[in-house]
Amino acid sequence: MTPSVWSKAATVAPPLVISLLLEIVFGALLPPLLQIGLLVGHVALAGILAAGRLEGAMVRLVWGGRPPTPGETPTLNRILTLVEWHLADSDLTVLVGRGRALWVGPVGRRHVLLSTQVVHAHRSGRLPDLELVALIAAAAGRLRHGRTRFDLALAACAWPWLLIGAVAHTVGRRVAWIPLVVLVWKARIVVGVTAVVLEATEGRHGSAVICGLFIALSYLMPWWASRWEAQLRLAADRFVTGHGLGEPLARHLLRH
């Protein structure tokens, strides 16, 4: 079963709306000509990416995607031969990306990135050929069923939200050990409802609605994202199994 388009829409729409509001607010602080120039450039970049152009450049610039080095080429060529054999119906470009974690992931419409740690694990014999091919197949399944045609264009439009999310994630990891921080985050509905009531009581209904919306989204967005991820993972697993790679993927997952 293909993941629902509505689940994907629910996942990507809030970041787009929030990013648009942030650009309007902060764009108003810029000189008019600069504001117009940034808007036109932003729209042009999103349009080019939506048309399927510049994907390779974006993958190289943002994710550090690169061809294998001469030292990596012999073993990865063997993997690419197996990928072509098992995934003949998929048009993939496999590159090496950044990252120390064991990570194989899809980017854009047809790119699959292998982290440097994955390449190292494969070269050292800790990651067998078929298990790596199965991981690439799982990424290919996400490309096939993840409705990824406009993902890079959407990312270009939602960059303010993505930037804030990256900063918040980094800060959150640093302060997560403080019990009070975790408690305040879990109790945000109490703080939010209190703020909504106070704003409404003072007659500031607009800010009350905005505050309530953000509190609601803080609960709904993770739920929508997890629902979409569950649907996509199931579709990708079926894709892997359908290409005869279910057993190697299961062996890898059991070890990790």
Side-chain angles (χ1 to χ4, degrees):
M1 181 178 65
T2 302
S4 167
V5 65
W6 297 111
S7 294
K8 178 68 178 274
T11 303
V12 301
L16 288 175
V17 173
I18 294 171
S19 296
L20 176 61
L21 293 176
L22 289 173
E23 288 196 60
I24 291 174
V25 171
F26 290 102
L29 303 176
L30 300 174
L33 287 179
L34 181 57
Q35 184 178 351
I36 294 173
L38 289 175
L39 176 62
V40 171
H42 197 175
V43 172
L45 176 61
I48 292 171
L49 292 172
R53 307 291 183 181
L54 295 182
E55 177 172 321
M58 283 287 289
V59 172
R60 289 192 297 271
L61 178 65
V62 179
W63 288 273
R66 58 170 176 81
T69 64
E72 297 165 344
T73 297
T75 55
L76 286 185
N77 278 347
R78 187 172 69 249
I79 293 299
L80 295 178
T81 300
L82 290 172
V83 168
E84 291 177 1
W85 174 264
H86 286 278
L87 305 175
D89 58 340
S90 300
D91 179 22
L92 299 178
T93 298
V94 181
L95 298 174
V96 180
R98 304 188 187 99
R100 294 183 176 275
L102 285 172
W103 180 79
V104 177
V107 178
R109 300 185 182 193
R110 61 187 184 89
H111 283 79
V112 174
L113 294 185
L114 314 179
S115 71
T116 52
Q117 185 65 25
V118 162
V119 176
H120 178 70
H122 176 253
R123 293 181 65 192
S124 63
R126 292 183 289 114
L127 181 60
D129 287 359
L130 282 182
E131 291 187 16
L132 179 52
V133 174
L135 292 174
I136 294 173
R142 287 174 172 267
L143 291 175
R144 176 70 62 86
H145 298 289
R147 306 180 187 276
T148 61
R149 181 177 180 182
F150 301 113
D151 273 7
L152 290 182
L154 293 172
C157 293
W159 71 266
W161 172 255
L162 296 176
L163 179 61
I164 290 175
V167 173
H169 181 69
T170 302
V171 173
R173 286 192 305 174
R174 297 290 179 89
V175 301
W177 62 273
I178 305 176
L180 184 60
V181 173
V182 178
L183 178 63
V184 169
W185 175 249
K186 290 183 177 181
R188 64 191 182 279
I189 188 170
V190 177
V191 178
V193 169
T194 303
V196 169
V197 171
L198 290 175
E199 291 296 298
T201 302
E202 295 294 328
R204 295 187 287 268
H205 301 292
S207 59
V209 170
I210 293 174
C211 183
L213 181 61
F214 271 95
I215 292 297
L217 286 176
S218 74
Y219 287 94
L220 289 174
M221 287 175 65
W223 182 78
W224 284 330
S226 63
R227 184 183 180 194
W228 168 252
E229 175 61 24
Q231 293 180 4
L232 188 54
R233 185 185 302 115
L234 180 60
D237 288 346
R238 288 176 175 171
F239 180 87
V240 173
T241 303
H243 287 78
L245 294 164
E247 185 177 344
L249 180 62
R251 286 201 303 267
H252 177 79
L253 294 176
L254 286 173
R255 286 208 320 273
H256 297 84

